[in-house]
Structures are given as C-alpha cells and as structure tokens.
Amino acid sequence: MIKIKILLFSFLILFILSTNLEAQSTIPSFHSHSPFILLPSEGNDSGLYGFLNPAALTHVLNPDFYALTYLNNQTLLTPDTWGLFFAVPHLSFGTFNTLTGDGVWYGRYRLSMGFGSKTFSFGTGYEWNSGSTEFTDPSNLMTAGFLFQPAAYLSIGLTETTNMAFTENETALTLGIRPLASDRITLFADYAFQTPGRWEDLWDKGHASVGALVQPWDGVYLSGKYFPRNAGFEVGFKISSGNFGVTSQVHYDGKIFPSIMIGSRAGSYEESAAQKTILKNSEYLFLDLKGMCQYRSGFFSNEPTLLSLLKTIDTAQNDPLIAGIAIDISGFYADREMLWEIRHKLAEFKQAGKHVIIYVDRAGLWMYYLASIADKVVMDPLGSFVFTGFLKGSTYLKEAMEKLGIGFEEWRLFTYKSAYEMISRDSMSEAEKEQWQAILESERLLVLNGIREARNIPDEKMEELINSVVLLDPEKALKSGLIDSIGRSEKLTDSVREIEGRDLPFRTPENLNSNLLSYETEWSEAPSIAVIYALGTVAMDFGMNARNLSQTIQKAADNPWIEALVIRVDSPGGDALASDYVAEAIRQCNLRKPVIISQGMMAASGGYWVSMYGNTIVTSPVTLTGSIGVAGGWFYDKGFKKTFGLSTDFIGIGDHADLGYGLVIPFINFSIPDRNLDVKEKAMFTESMQSLYGMFVNKVAKGRNKSPARIEKAAQGRIWTGEEAKKMYLTDEIGGLLDAINIARERADIPAGRRVSIIEMPELPFFSWDRNITDLLTSKVKSQKDSSSMITDYFSLLIQSKGYPMPLVNLDLFEYYYTGAERNFPAGNMLLQNTGY
C-alpha cells in the first residue's frame, strides 16, 4: 500500500508540473524512440536498457550490449542514426547519434540507474548532448521513471523528463497487459504529452500508440504498433540465439518509403528455441563437491549446501543443452539422509534421459551408495572401498559414574524410550535392540538393493561383498562390477566420450544459462516459498532457538508475498516447552497458508513434536522419526563430594526446599543434587511424565487427524525409519527437501510454469555476539549441524531440566545425528587412510 501511495503521489506532482509550462518544447519526444524498440519499458530488453524508463533497469540481471542503426525514409534509406547501449544490473549507458540537416552529427548520451523490486521500481537518468545547433542549450535532461507491476499480467509505467535549462518537461504513461500472465503475449498502450499549458490542450497535444508483442517460440518475437494521431504503424521482429540476437523494425508514417531499424545484441543469455534445438545435449555440468554438505554456508565458505545442490541438479535436468553431470566427490561428506536426497535427485535426472558420471577415491558403503547411481563410476588408482556393513553401538557410563560417585536413577515408563540408557545401564536393553535391529535392516535393504539395481549385481555377489570382502582396491572393485574405469578426475572426460561418442565441454553451475539471463521477463515479484530451518537440539535459547524460530514462522505467515512454508526439521529432540513453541507457531500458520514439513536425518521425539502440525510431512527412507514419548531421570551425589574433599551446606524453608540443591562444579556450571528423590517426590515426577506423554499423544492425534489409540500404536518412544513411519500414519510422503517444496507449490496453487522464489530463513545476521570471526568467515552458523555442541547441548538440557521429563533421544543418538556424515573412511582409522588399502 505504501508503494502505491508513493507512485500516485509522484505522478500527481509531476502531472501538476507538466501543466504549468510553456507550449514549445525542445525535449526529444517519447515516441521519437519508438522506431528503435519493439515495446516500451514493459517489454523485453528492459526498455532499451532504461533509455525510455530507467526504472526498468531493476529487471536487468547480467551485462548486455546492444547496437542499432536506422535507415530513414527522408534520406532515401541511408543510415542517419546509430545507437550503442550497455547495461549491467541497476546501471546503463546509452547513446543515440543522428545526422542533422546541416550535416552535423548530433549525439545524445544518457547515464541511467534503476532500483527497487519486481513490483515497484524507480530510476533516474541524466542526459547530455553535443554537436547540434538546433538546441540552443545542448545540456542537461533529467528523467525520473517509475514501474508498478503488481501482478504477472499488469504493468504501469510513468516517466517525467525535464530540460533543466528551459524548465520544460514531458510526461509519458505506459500500460502493459499479459492475458496469459507470461511474455507469450503482451498488449500495450502509451500516451505522452509535452508541456500542454492548458488542461483542454492535453489530448490535442499528446501522442499515443497501441500494440502487441507475441512470442510464438522461445526467442522469437513479433511486434506491431499503431499511432492513431498520424495513422502510422510499425512492425518488427526479434530473434535470439542465446547469447546473440538480431532485431529489425519497419516504421511507416505515410511517406513513400518506410524507415527501417536494424539492431543486434550480445552478452548474457536469452531463452532461444533455436539454440535449444541446435545445441541440445551439447554440454556437461561439472560439480566439484568438497567439504561437508550443510544447510547454510558462511560468507566465505565453499562448502556445498543441500538446497543449492538439489536446485542445481534440477536446473540442469530442465536445461536442454545439458546432456549429463560429471561429479567429483573426492573429499565430500554428507549425512546419510542428504546422500539419499542427492542420489534420489540424480535418479530423477537420469530418468529425464541424461547421464551421470562420478569420480570417487575412498568411500564407505553409504558414499558408494551415492556413487552407484552413476552411469559411469571412475575410481582413483590409489582409492579404496571399505564395506563394513551396518552397526549401531553405544558407550555406557554407568560404572564410570559410580566410580566418580555420581548416582543416577532412570524413570523409564515407556518401552522404547531409551534416552537415559547410556547413563543408567551397562548394556543395550532388549527394547533398544529390537528397534535398532529393524532400523539397521531397513538401511541394509535400501543400500544393498539400490546398489544391486544400479550396478546390476546378483544378490549372492552383493551379499559376498558385504560379508566377506570388506576392503576393495580399484582392481577388485573393477572386477566386481562396482566401477567402470580406474583413473584420476581427468578420466571424467574420457567417460563422457564413451557415453556420448564425442567430447563435450564442461560447464560449472554459475555458468548455467538460467543463471546468466540478461533480464527478468516476468512481471511482479515471483510467488515465494519460505524454507525455514528447524535444526539441532530443541531448546528455547540455544540449539533450535525455539523462541526466535517461532517468531520467524510468524513473520513468514504474516508476509503477503510468501505463499507457503517448508519447515526443514532435523533434530533429535529436547525440551517439551521449546518443542511446543515451534509446533504451535506452525499450527497457527497452517490455518492461513500451507506448511509442509521436510524431515532430515532425524526428526525424533521433540523433533517429531515440532513436525506434527504440518499440512503434509515429507520424510526420507533413512530419516529417524517418531520416538513419541518422554524420558526422565535424576542425578545425585553418591560419594562424589567425599571423593574429592568437597562439602556443601544450606538453610531453607519448606519441606522440599533442598530438592535439587547440591554441589556446583565450577566452570561447567553442572550441579549434582545432594540427595535422591524421596518416594513422594518421585511419584510427583513420574505422574508428570505420564501427563506429558498423554499430552504428546493427544497433540499428535490432533495434528495427524487420527485417534489417540491409533497414535499409541506408534508411540511408547519407538523410533521409526521414514518408510515405517508412513505405514504408522506418522508421515505422509517419501521424498526430500525439493519434493517438499514442490508439494508446497501445489498446495499454494502456484501455476506450473510460474517461477518461484525460495526464501531461506531465519536470516543469518552478519554480526552476532554469539558468532566469532571464524564462524562468520567459514560455515559454522546457527542453521548448521555443529558436532562441537553435541555434548554441550545434551548436558545443558539435563542441567536445565532438573529432572523434568523431556521428549529427547539418548546421547548416542545425538552422536548419530551430529556425526552421521558418511566419510570416506572411519574417522579413527588413520593407518587405513594413509595407506589406502
């Protein structure tokens, strides 16, 4: 609304000025530019790079150059005008040079700037001229321009040009309509008038035109314009071949001969059906993946992010010029879920008829699972594969704590809720073994079946590789059918030649045509989908930072440009209060616009609590989710103070005043209560656990639109893989982050061909008290998994809970969550890493 008021106010001021000036003007008229451009500022080329309306420079995306010449009918079709124009985002320079009647070249030079958004933009231009005596003062034209494009089918433009020396001006209004909400058909009308002097002279002294621009094929434009005042007309065409294009237009105004404009452009990319046909499948995208795949990246970090990687593959999939992808995964790490998502997207890429080649040096089973999707797998001569199978183990602290003199009592009321098992036991419980046996078997089937199908390896051979071989050098891998060739990354070019029958050039992601468009052809802001990251331990003011995250969700709900939300949940749980803060924000938002949940590596316990109110919950086969239950326990002094010669003392009022009081260990702020709970106190805490569990189950039932009895069958703290969770009605779809975004698009009724803007949230502050300069320059930002905070987060929750029940998983699952990245070798096996095999 503010932008509309600015536009109307600006027009009012300029219009009042225009009606109080003398009738004679020396300003070149708005329509004098018409022969040189197919369409006003609402069209393509951004209004001849802002020469007509500098506000159009907001739509320029990359550098572009344009040149033209004009064959005038008054000079027997000899060239008497030429122009050069150059534009970069928000800035342009252009010149017209015309041969005057006295044989002198008259040059006009304009420097323009444009700023704003796709909905409302403004710009200014400064023009000077030289070489002509027809203008008594050859200097200083100022242009102000506005563009208002509130929807994909409507554009309104306004320009005001003033000759500062004579205080004369011209006002021009433009209107564009796109019936199909795309640049296939653009209808337009404009009206310009120069200093009419009287209101009744406004229409008599003005000039108007109407016309249309049609794009029957990508890169082919046909235009027509009609001028009612003199019954003149123009017809033209423009043909683009990608980075080059030609334009021509014929202007007829009743003279014997028409005038002809011929122009050409070079520079950034324009959509071109001819290029897509002639150069189809002529290039390969090259991805050099290094470092840990993250959700967000620091300012100077080159580590890949999941969303950008998936979007790059998707862009290449839809680019007719791209025949395939060559990927170097040496030194690349990602957690199991991210590896599945990348492989899943590469499988879609292959289904589109394109090819994948992957170079790998050292890999474990999960990293090879990713590589196996390739048509050609190239392995380094000194590389090796280590296939150790599938395992889940835990380190138990019970005896260590007893030796330290720290007691712990676990309150385990729910069969599979093993959050404190590492502290209370010295071995794995039967319930823990049961649920993890099912998880490992699910992972085994997924990975082995995926490799078997991709590489066409018989069942018995695949089982042998896992159970007998373990370590494979390149020759063994080649003989076993796991790879196709041996060589360094340079071998990728040979693999391209083998597949395509010819050498094809490699193109990097930043050089994909979609990233090199010369200008934005769509009007108005693209509909937006917010991707909001809910990561880490669920706590109020650290980890997931629920207090701020709930506010971020609320802001996205209030933003009228955001059509839908995708919440990426990757969390092992935490505090019930913090979990409900976020869940309630999602529930409230879901009443106003679609909210799709995308679950990452883990969305268990409090992580599932956060997820439960999603319109649709999308999970991957390797996601660990569910764990609907709460855990409780109590630490207390069992000789610790005596062992270390420490003592405490207190005074208090109340029967339970000393509950939780005890020794505070300096520096780490960890307190050990002096005593265990008495029978009455324990009963109160366990009653609270039962109440919180019932609340959890009922909330899930409400969010999933199921009965509490139905949810109870999936509860009791049981952890489920994504596939099993769907069967238990805890999730809806199997897929990744990009799938969730596509579902959000459908739920928001965004048309299939409409471009969508992805907004990642929360915003990353450039400066923050809790981020040091190393974190700022690299990739350790709040919206990442940070393994260094694993133990800190876990024990911070225990300290804060004071025995209060919490929906979280056990400590070794925190480790599984934070260090679930598939590395090329086990992290501790340095000898194996150094020798290779």
Side-chain angles (χ1 to χ4, degrees):
M1 182 58 67
I2 293 176
K3 294 177 180 177
I4 297 176
K5 291 179 179 178
I6 293 173
L7 177 64
L8 294 176
F9 178 76
S10 302
F11 171 70
L12 178 62
I13 295 298
L14 293 173
F15 187 78
I16 291 173
L17 288 174
S18 72
T19 60
N20 287 278
L21 300 173
E22 300 296 330
Q24 183 62 35
S25 175
T26 58
I27 298 174
S29 71
F30 180 83
H31 287 99
S32 67
H33 304 102
S34 180
F36 311 119
I37 187 168
L38 301 185
L39 204 65
S41 50
E42 280 75 22
N44 54 9
D45 292 334
S46 292
L48 211 60
Y49 304 132
F51 212 97
L52 268 69
N53 188 341
L57 291 171
T58 303
H59 297 259
V60 174
L61 301 177
N62 286 290
D64 218 18
F65 176 80
Y66 186 73
L68 64 83
T69 186
Y70 187 60
L71 310 179
N72 196 326
N73 55 19
Q74 298 182 17
T75 56
L76 300 178
L77 297 181
T78 57
D80 71 345
T81 300
W82 58 269
L84 296 175
F85 309 89
F86 178 72
V88 295
H90 307 293
L91 184 67
S92 74
F93 173 77
T95 177
F96 275 113
N97 290 267
T98 303
L99 186 63
T100 63
D102 56 8
V104 178
W105 282 97
Y106 163 52
R108 298 171 53 202
Y109 311 92
R110 179 173 293 191
L111 185 65
S112 302
M113 297 182 294
F115 302 95
S117 67
K118 299 292 176 54
T119 299
F120 180 81
S121 57
F122 61 93
T124 60
Y126 174 76
E127 180 178 321
W128 66 100
N129 51 61
S130 64
S132 174
T133 58
E134 297 181 13
F135 292 82
T136 54
D137 190 334
S139 64
N140 300 348
L141 285 181
M142 295 294 295
T143 297
F146 301 89
L147 267 181
F148 180 52
Q149 298 176 332
Y153 51 82
L154 178 64
S155 177
I156 302 171
L158 167 69
T159 61
E160 183 74 13
T161 302
T162 301
N163 184 314
M164 304 300 291
F166 294 98
T167 61
E168 299 168 352
N169 65 338
E170 178 186 60
T171 302
L173 298 170
T174 59
L175 173 67
I177 296 175
R178 288 178 170 172
L180 304 180
S182 75
D183 62 347
R184 289 297 179 188
I185 300 177
T186 303
L187 308 177
F188 73 90
D190 56 51
Y191 184 80
F193 53 92
Q194 292 191 355
T195 60
R198 296 182 306 169
W199 283 97
E200 55 266 30
D201 295 333
L202 178 63
W203 302 111
D204 292 338
K205 292 183 178 294
H207 293 264
S209 71
V210 294
L213 182 73
V214 179
Q215 184 185 192
W217 304 280
D218 287 345
V220 178
Y221 295 87
L222 304 175
S223 69
K225 282 181 274 188
Y226 176 69
F227 302 90
R229 182 158 185 159
N230 61 3
F233 65 87
E234 292 172 354
V235 292
F237 72 88
K238 172 182 172 182
I239 299 177
S240 174
S241 62
N243 298 99
F244 303 94
V246 294
T247 304
S248 184
Q249 184 165 244
V250 175
H251 174 83
Y252 184 77
D253 55 5
K255 302 295 192 304
I256 297 176
F257 298 103
S259 300
I260 302 174
M261 182 275 294
I262 300 174
S264 63
R265 61 161 294 277
S268 302
Y269 179 74
E270 285 185 341
E271 294 285 346
S272 169
Q275 187 193 52
K276 291 176 181 178
T277 302
I278 297 171
L279 299 180
K280 185 177 181 179
N281 295 332
S282 62
E283 299 173 338
Y284 260 63
L285 173 66
F286 177 66
L287 298 177
D288 186 13
L289 303 182
K290 295 290 181 288
M292 180 73 75
C293 187
Q294 300 282 3
Y295 285 119
R296 309 287 287 277
S297 189
F299 293 101
F300 297 98
S301 171
N302 60 356
E303 290 185 319
T305 62
L306 178 64
L307 183 56
S308 65
L309 183 54
L310 296 175
K311 287 169 62 178
T312 296
I313 298 172
D314 188 67
T315 299
Q317 179 179 326
N318 295 303
D319 190 334
L321 275 63
I322 299 298
I325 295 180
I327 309 175
D328 182 347
I329 61 171
S330 173
F332 176 64
Y333 314 119
D335 68 38
R336 299 165 179 84
E337 197 280 335
M338 289 183 178
L339 289 175
W340 179 86
E341 285 203 48
I342 298 168
R343 190 182 193 273
H344 175 61
K345 188 57 195 174
L346 288 173
E348 289 184 359
F349 182 85
K350 289 180 62 177
Q351 289 172 2
K354 305 195 176 191
H355 300 112
V356 178
I357 303 170
I358 292 181
Y359 163 77
V360 61
D361 49 18
R362 294 167 174 163
L365 195 53
W366 280 95
M367 187 61 72
Y368 178 74
Y369 171 66
L370 168 63
S372 68
I373 195 62
D375 297 280
K376 296 283 185 181
V377 179
V378 180
M379 185 176 182
D380 193 273
L382 293 179
S384 51
F385 293 156
V386 178
F387 294 166
T388 55
F390 304 84
L391 179 140
K392 164 64 171 67
S394 299
T395 300
Y396 295 90
L397 308 177
K398 180 181 179 180
E399 290 190 18
M401 292 180 61
E402 288 178 352
K403 289 182 178 180
L404 288 172
I406 300 175
F408 179 76
E409 182 175 349
E410 178 187 18
W411 309 323
R412 185 163 179 171
L413 306 183
F414 312 106
T415 307
Y416 300 98
K417 199 63 181 177
S418 57
Y420 293 114
E421 219 176 73
M422 294 177 61
I423 301 171
S424 64
R425 297 176 58 89
D426 55 15
S427 63
M428 195 177 294
S429 67
E430 291 303 316
E432 183 79 338
K433 290 179 180 179
E434 177 189 342
Q435 67 177 348
W436 273 101
Q437 185 67 38
I439 292 170
L440 294 177
E441 182 59 26
S442 176
E443 291 184 351
R444 187 187 76 87
L445 290 175
L446 175 76
V447 173
L448 298 193
N449 287 340
I451 295 173
R452 183 185 297 116
E453 293 171 5
R455 300 298 302 178
N456 195 26
I457 298 175
D459 292 357
E460 60 276 8
K461 182 66 175 180
M462 197 68 238
E463 293 294 337
E464 180 186 351
L465 289 172
I466 298 301
N467 297 322
S468 302
V469 178
V470 183
L471 177 64
L472 295 95
D473 61 27
E475 293 296 336
K476 290 180 181 178
L478 183 62
K479 184 177 179 181
S480 300
L482 296 174
I483 63 173
D484 300 283
S485 60
I486 300 172
R488 290 275 152 86
S489 56
E490 296 82 2
K491 185 74 174 177
L492 291 171
T493 56
D494 296 335
S495 298
V496 171
R497 191 183 309 114
E498 292 173 9
I499 292 176
E500 306 296 340
R502 54 176 175 151
D503 289 328
L504 295 181
F506 284 175
R507 179 171 289 207
T508 56
E510 57 271 17
N511 290 319
L512 286 172
N513 284 332
S514 61
N515 297 326
L516 298 174
L517 289 173
S518 59
Y519 52 85
E520 179 58 67
T521 60
E522 292 188 357
W523 293 346
S524 183
E525 295 287 350
S528 297
I529 294 175
V531 175
I532 301 177
Y533 295 99
L535 311 176
T537 308
V538 189
M540 291 297 292
D541 300 302
F542 62 90
M544 192 177 288
N545 206 339
R547 201 183 309 274
N548 289 337
L549 182 60
S550 59
Q551 294 174 2
T552 297
I553 295 170
Q554 181 64 46
K555 289 178 182 178
D558 294 337
N559 189 328
W561 299 109
I562 294 178
E563 303 285 347
L565 283 69
V566 173
I567 312 292
R568 176 68 170 197
V569 181
D570 206 338
S571 170
D575 178 16
L577 175 64
S579 301
D580 203 58
Y581 252 65
V582 179
E584 185 61 22
I586 292 173
R587 189 186 70 82
Q588 292 290 340
C589 182
N590 213 0
L591 299 175
R592 302 164 61 184
K593 54 185 67 173
V595 181
I596 310 302
I597 303 296
S598 169
Q599 295 184 332
M601 181 75 177
M602 186 176 294
S605 204
Y608 187 79
W609 192 314
V610 167
S611 306
M612 63 189 178
Y613 290 135
N615 180 278
T616 301
I617 300 178
V618 182
T619 189
S620 80
V622 297
T623 298
L624 299 184
T625 188
S627 191
I628 300 170
V630 293
W634 187 265
F635 290 94
Y636 62 95
D637 179 28
K638 200 176 179 181
F640 182 88
K641 290 190 297 183
K642 183 177 180 181
T643 300
F644 291 94
L646 302 171
S647 63
T648 58
D649 198 4
F650 66 90
I651 59 172
I653 299 174
D655 294 344
H656 306 282
D658 66 332
L659 182 64
Y661 173 76
L663 172 70
V664 178
I665 301 176
F667 307 112
I668 65 173
N669 196 33
F670 181 67
S671 62
I672 305 176
D674 280 348
R675 66 176 179 85
N676 196 359
L677 303 184
D678 60 30
V679 175
K680 182 179 179 181
E681 291 166 338
K682 181 179 177 181
M684 289 189 293
F685 274 95
T686 54
E687 181 181 350
S688 176
M689 287 180 63
Q690 291 284 10
S691 175
L692 184 59
Y693 175 74
M695 182 188 300
F696 195 172
V697 170
N698 288 331
K699 282 177 176 286
V700 173
K702 180 179 178 181
R704 300 299 299 158
N705 196 26
K706 302 293 179 183
S707 68
R710 173 67 263 184
I711 298 302
E712 179 64 32
K713 294 179 180 179
Q716 288 291 316
R718 178 78 182 250
I719 300 172
W720 305 95
T721 62
E723 293 279 7
E724 293 301 315
K726 184 180 178 183
K727 296 176 183 177
M728 300 302 294
Y729 304 102
L730 297 182
T731 62
D732 301 292
E733 302 289 343
I734 299 298
L737 181 56
L738 215 55
D739 298 304
I741 292 173
N742 290 332
I743 292 173
R745 180 187 184 120
E746 294 174 4
R747 296 284 193 276
D749 295 323
I750 299 174
R754 188 82 163 99
R755 183 178 62 87
V756 172
S757 174
I758 304 299
I759 302 174
E760 295 184 89
M761 303 172 75
E763 294 182 359
L764 299 179
F766 190 80
F767 290 109
S768 176
W769 291 111
D770 57 354
R771 292 175 62 194
N772 59 41
I773 189 65
T774 303
D775 292 347
L776 180 68
L777 297 180
T778 58
S779 60
K780 288 187 177 181
V781 292
K782 278 190 172 182
S783 51
Q784 287 185 307
K785 299 178 182 182
D786 184 1
S787 59
S788 64
S789 66
M790 175 184 66
I791 301 297
T792 303
D793 284 355
Y794 186 83
F795 280 104
S796 292
L797 279 175
L798 296 184
I799 293 167
Q800 292 183 6
S801 71
K802 300 295 185 182
Y804 191 78
M806 293 183 293
L808 79 165
V809 296
N810 57 19
L811 180 59
D812 62 327
L813 265 182
F814 267 60
E815 181 181 5
Y816 186 88
Y817 164 70
Y818 279 110
T819 61
E822 168 70 23
R823 301 181 183 274
N824 289 349
F825 270 89
N829 199 339
M830 295 306 297
L831 178 61
L832 198 57
Q833 283 197 18
N834 289 334
T835 60
Y837 46 83

